[in-house]
Amino acid sequence: MKRAVSIPYKPKNLAEVSIIRPILIVLLVVYHAFIIYRGGWVQPSGFQENTTYWWIAVTSYSFMLEMFVFISGYVWAFQIFERKKSQSFKQLIGEKFKRLIIPSILFSTIYVCLLGTKETLAVAQLIYALICGYGHMWFLPMLFWCFIGVYVLEKIQIKEECKLILLLLCSIVSFLPLPLRLSSAMYYIFFFYAGFYVRKRLAGKIINISTPKVVFMWVVYAVVFIALTMVREFLMDVDTTNIIAKAVIFSGARLCQILYAGLGIAAMYCTAIVITSNKELKPWIIKIGAYCFGVYLFQQFILMGIYYHTDIPIIVGSNWLPWVGLAIALTGSLLLSWLFRKTKLGRALI
């Protein structure tokens, strides 16, 4: 009787990421469609408060950006350790500058030209704002710093668990004001390295997770998220002029956010593993991943155009506005991404 031979697991692509990415992009558009009920944008004409819509906004935002950053680190580790991608520091800067900073500056400029700025800026201030990423483009230079930071961190010879603890502490105190989106990078780099660490550890391994465990994880996330959201809202409402007290409050609020975001990431990741281990993904799901970056770039332009430059808020009313905005922004940004990628310049940018 022949013995079973163990064949190393070498996936051609990450099916779990292929299913997570479209879900996250939908959550992003949902969040921006409902952000007016959370106070993130100026209230459009005919606006009325809605507690349910407030919860939709905070829930869609709860781990969405952290998960985007997590899978960025996860995919990068896959490329390095399983696809054997070799890259110098100079090559990394060049690649990520082209992929992240150039689109950020270009679309930030378009954003300012089409939608204007919140305040009057001097020329030097405007240039600085464009470099930092204006509007929703802030995410791109932040992610650029995450790649640079983790590249450097990987060269430091200390235990990976110590690096995670160090980055967690950085994330907790990331309210400190730093230029060029470095404050945001301080918060998100923990999640980037966590994704990097997870994929590095799992390289060549098959993950087995039961459905009941995944359901339990979602229940835990939901309970902790609701509880810590209320704690966080309470902390952010505390009015104090004491600098130490402010630091403690902001650190506590950050810790609440890190905890429920981490649970959401774990639940979503394990859900994707269960789904992709039981069935092969449809080709269209994998293909749609190519349009996610474009959807991210275009969706806010569409939503802000609808909310502040049309009569749609008055025509449909406050209760229907976010749903109409969601439908138009999602389909419109997908269409624009598809059209954009038909051109050579578009494929280079998105």
Side-chain angles (χ1 to χ4, degrees):
M1 185 176 179
K2 293 182 179 180
R3 290 185 178 182
V5 178
S6 177
I7 301 174
Y9 176 58
K10 294 183 178 181
K12 293 181 179 179
N13 54 56
L14 296 170
E16 61 271 28
V17 173
S18 295
I19 200 168
I20 288 172
R21 193 177 280 127
I23 294 172
L24 293 180
I25 212 67
V26 171
L27 287 176
L28 174 69
V29 184
V30 168
Y31 173 63
H32 281 152
F34 286 83
I35 194 174
I36 53 177
Y37 298 92
R38 190 180 181 233
W41 292 358
V42 175
Q43 298 170 355
S45 301
F47 175 84
Q48 294 178 356
E49 296 285 350
N50 189 312
T51 302
T52 301
Y53 288 179
W54 183 89
W55 275 106
I56 291 175
V58 296
T59 303
S60 60
Y61 186 73
S62 61
F63 65 89
M64 175 258 298
L65 290 180
E66 289 88 348
M67 185 100 217
F68 265 123
V69 177
F70 178 90
I71 63 173
S72 295
Y74 187 85
V75 170
W76 195 37
F78 170 74
Q79 293 171 343
I80 292 172
F81 300 110
E82 292 164 77
R83 293 289 133 223
K84 306 301 180 183
K85 181 179 181 179
S86 179
Q87 214 174 24
S88 68
F89 188 57
K90 182 179 178 180
Q91 288 171 330
L92 175 68
I93 292 175
E95 178 189 307
K96 298 308 173 185
F97 189 88
K98 180 181 177 182
R99 177 63 177 161
L100 299 171
I101 303 301
I102 291 177
S104 173
I105 294 174
L106 175 61
F107 282 91
S108 291
T109 304
I110 296 171
Y111 188 103
V112 170
C113 291
L114 292 180
L115 301 173
T117 60
K118 295 178 182 178
E119 63 281 324
T120 302
L121 299 176
V123 174
Q125 291 175 315
L126 180 58
I127 292 172
Y128 178 75
L130 295 177
I131 292 172
C132 290
Y134 202 85
H136 59 299
M137 304 306 159
W138 69 268
F139 187 81
L140 302 181
M142 178 281 298
L143 192 57
F144 174 83
W145 290 121
C146 287
F147 278 101
I148 301 302
V150 171
Y151 184 96
V152 173
L153 200 60
E154 271 293 282
K155 303 298 181 182
I156 301 174
Q157 299 301 313
I158 60 174
K159 290 184 177 180
E160 291 171 323
E161 293 76 11
C162 293
K163 295 176 185 178
L164 279 168
I165 293 171
L166 174 63
L167 294 178
L168 175 60
L169 293 174
C170 287
S171 188
I172 292 171
V173 299
S174 58
F175 55 85
L176 298 171
L178 294 174
L180 298 171
R181 303 299 181 189
L182 285 168
S183 292
S184 298
M186 275 185 68
Y187 172 71
Y188 285 102
I189 195 172
F190 167 72
F191 298 98
F192 187 98
Y193 191 76
F196 187 89
Y197 172 82
V198 168
R199 189 64 217 180
K200 184 178 180 180
R201 288 290 184 179
L202 295 180
K205 297 179 182 177
I206 297 176
I207 312 161
N208 293 311
I209 303 169
S210 66
T211 301
K213 286 182 180 178
V214 172
V215 173
F216 176 73
M217 292 173 75
W218 280 115
V219 172
V220 172
Y221 155 75
V223 172
V224 172
F225 165 66
I226 292 170
L228 292 185
T229 294
M230 296 173 72
V231 171
R232 190 171 183 272
E233 289 298 310
F234 170 79
L235 289 173
M236 298 308 292
D237 285 339
V238 174
D239 187 18
T240 179
T241 56
N242 186 285
I243 294 182
I244 295 176
K246 280 186 175 182
V248 172
I249 289 168
F250 284 130
S251 296
R254 277 296 198 204
L255 184 58
C256 289
Q257 189 175 353
I258 291 165
L259 289 172
Y260 63 65
L263 289 171
I265 288 171
M268 177 64 77
Y269 175 73
C270 291
T271 300
I273 292 295
V274 168
I275 292 172
T276 54
S277 63
N278 293 330
K279 61 177 70 175
E280 189 174 341
L281 291 182
K282 300 292 184 181
W284 68 266
I285 296 177
I286 298 173
K287 187 176 180 180
I288 206 169
Y291 302 117
C292 286
F293 187 46
V295 173
Y296 161 77
L297 292 172
F298 294 126
Q299 48 82 35
Q300 187 161 320
F301 288 96
I302 296 172
L303 281 168
M304 296 200 82
I306 292 170
Y307 287 178
Y308 307 115
H309 300 280
T310 72
D311 292 329
I312 291 177
I314 298 297
I315 295 169
V316 303
S318 185
N319 288 336
W320 281 102
L321 178 60
W323 302 107
V324 172
L326 171 61
I328 296 174
L330 192 56
T331 55
S333 54
L334 276 170
L335 179 60
L336 285 171
S337 299
W338 177 76
L339 291 172
F340 217 67
R341 288 184 61 83
K342 290 291 183 181
T343 67
K344 185 176 180 181
L345 176 62
R347 287 192 298 273
L349 287 172
I350 66 173

